[in-house]
Amino acid sequence: MTSEPRLEILSSRGLPGWLASQSLSLAFTTYQAGKLFLLGLQADGRLSLFERTFNRCMGLCADGDGLWMSTLYQLWRLENALPEGANQDGHDRLYVPRLSFTTGDLDVHDLAVTGAGQLVFVNTLFSCLATTSPRASFVPLWRPPFISRLAAEDRCHLNGLALASGEPAYVTLVGRSDVADGWREHRRRGGCVLDVRSGETVCEGLSMPHSPRLQGERLWLLEAGTGQLGFIDAGRGSFERVAFVPGYARGLCIVDDYAVIGLSKLRRSRTFADLELGEQLAARGAEPRCGLLVVDLRSGDAVHWLRLDGMVEELYDVVALPGVRRPMALGFQTDEIQRMITIGEPPALKPA
């Protein structure tokens, strides 16, 4: 008899209080196990972790009262189905898949919604930024200047996207290459940040950078290959390290003076071999972990954490859900979604 895959969860004592004080919940994805997790608080103040299955879910983006999420070959829009002030089984948000674009397997990474409401995503397979289309798999918007043409070759492993003033502004990539899968030869020091508007290099010499996020005038990102959270000093074009994190870091959201970071264990593959991260972990007597880490940006201290052990070993993205206490979602593995029927507001009648 086959036992169910196990998932063990452990958190720091102060994490529930921090979520309550910030008046938010968190959503995060794992593509390896295909799970969307929603982390909030129960009525008694204990943590609530809700999960639903979506095949290879990765990029996440909060947009109004909904979420955008990338999966293996689709982009999904999940909308909150609960009226303001309502709850279902103690949950104050119920995210329901309402709209999808079937893109094919583009290895979509980061997602963002512009100030004009346009969804922009990192099309990693084709080394470009793209948007959706009702008639095509994608519409290309921008590609790095060194990418000579669109091809399904993952040439530079473009992965991260940050907006500024509501428009695509910065991207991260692992290696400046214009050949198929060429980024793998540049994992240790070939990563860079590019300015989308000018095409210029903002910072280079990085090790597998991910998750650029602009907070005020400061561009934060994760240097996954070294296990460092830091920011770009625009004047010097350098990456300023703020905190070491014990895992392969992808997924970053900034909440006031705190960074919430997604951590993954290291796969036993060439992609993760010979990285500084492994050396740093060994020097600190630590093992790579999977979970979330909350870092105080003022001190660089890790102040709260959530650890996941068992069936989940890798995370990709994490977003904050402001004003949400205990979210839940519907998926496609049960028949609940068949019975979730809501009625929209009819248009106002024109006077006779």
Side-chain angles (χ1 to χ4, degrees):
M1 183 175 178
T2 303
S3 61
E4 290 293 321
R6 67 179 182 89
L7 175 62
E8 296 181 359
I9 304 164
L10 185 66
S11 80
S12 60
R13 188 170 54 185
L15 180 58
W18 182 79
L19 291 174
S21 68
Q22 297 293 324
S23 187
L24 57 80
S25 295
L26 298 170
F28 57 101
T29 53
T30 167
Y31 59 91
Q32 164 235 5
K35 298 290 185 182
L36 167 66
F37 287 104
L38 297 167
L39 181 69
L41 296 174
Q42 301 180 47
D44 61 5
R46 292 182 300 156
L47 289 179
S48 167
L49 186 65
F50 195 94
E51 58 90 2
R52 280 293 180 258
T53 300
F54 293 90
N55 194 6
R56 194 177 167 82
C57 49
M58 291 183 63
L60 270 180
C61 175
D63 180 30
D65 206 22
L67 289 170
W68 282 101
M69 179 176 64
S70 71
T71 60
L72 178 61
Y73 58 87
Q74 291 172 299
L75 294 168
W76 281 99
R77 170 78 185 192
L78 288 77
E79 293 286 356
N80 173 39
L82 297 181
E84 186 176 354
N87 74 83
Q88 179 164 322
D89 301 325
H91 297 83
D92 60 344
R93 293 294 189 281
L94 172 56
Y95 294 109
V96 180
R98 292 298 193 194
L99 172 69
S100 74
F101 289 91
T102 301
T103 61
D105 185 359
L106 303 177
D107 196 18
V108 172
H109 280 56
D110 279 12
L111 308 173
V113 176
T114 69
Q118 181 184 48
L119 178 67
V120 178
F121 59 90
V122 178
N123 184 340
T124 301
L125 183 65
F126 281 83
S127 308
C128 70
L129 297 182
T131 191
T132 55
S133 166
R135 301 176 63 88
S137 293
F138 69 94
V139 176
L141 298 175
W142 176 90
R143 67 177 187 258
F146 60 84
I147 297 294
S148 57
R149 67 182 182 89
L150 293 176
E153 296 178 346
D154 187 9
R155 296 182 174 187
C156 62
H157 206 65
L158 192 71
N159 57 52
L161 170 64
L163 302 184
S165 300
E167 294 296 327
Y170 302 101
V171 295
T172 50
L173 55 92
V174 172
R176 193 189 301 265
S177 170
D178 196 29
V179 299
D181 205 39
W183 61 272
R184 294 185 189 275
E185 280 70 55
H186 304 280
R187 294 170 298 112
R188 190 158 178 122
R189 282 288 166 231
C192 58
V193 178
L194 299 184
D195 189 318
V196 173
R197 298 153 296 187
S198 66
E200 296 179 355
T201 300
V202 177
C203 182
E204 55 189 349
L206 300 171
S207 180
M208 303 188 80
H210 285 78
S211 309
R213 304 290 184 258
L214 196 64
Q215 176 80 341
E217 298 298 317
R218 181 163 284 182
L219 181 65
W220 294 88
L221 60 87
L222 299 169
E223 192 180 30
T226 64
Q228 296 287 340
L229 163 70
F231 62 90
I232 302 301
D233 184 322
R236 299 168 54 191
S238 61
F239 176 66
E240 301 298 317
R241 297 178 172 184
V242 171
F244 174 76
V245 296
Y248 190 80
R250 286 171 305 198
L252 171 66
C253 65
I254 309 295
V255 179
D256 294 332
D257 293 316
Y258 299 92
V260 184
I261 301 164
L263 299 178
S264 300
K265 296 181 180 180
L266 297 178
R267 280 176 280 162
R268 293 179 176 85
S269 69
R270 183 174 178 271
T271 301
F272 293 87
D274 304 323
L275 295 176
E276 183 184 321
L277 172 60
E279 300 165 6
Q280 289 279 353
L281 288 167
R284 297 165 188 262
E287 292 291 328
R289 66 180 64 172
C290 176
L292 301 177
L293 197 68
V294 181
V295 173
D296 189 325
L297 297 175
R298 297 161 295 189
S299 64
D301 293 340
V303 290
H304 305 295
W305 49 265
L306 179 82
R307 295 186 66 162
L308 304 174
D309 286 307
M311 63 178 289
V312 177
E313 296 187 340
E314 296 178 279
L315 302 185
Y316 181 74
D317 213 353
V318 56
V319 297
L321 306 175
V324 180
R325 182 174 178 85
R326 192 184 184 192
M328 65 179 292
L330 293 187
F332 302 108
Q333 302 298 306
T334 68
D335 62 0
E336 294 172 285
I337 199 164
Q338 298 178 36
R339 303 189 301 272
M340 173 50 62
I341 299 173
T342 57
I343 302 174
E345 289 291 330
L349 297 176
K350 294 182 179 180

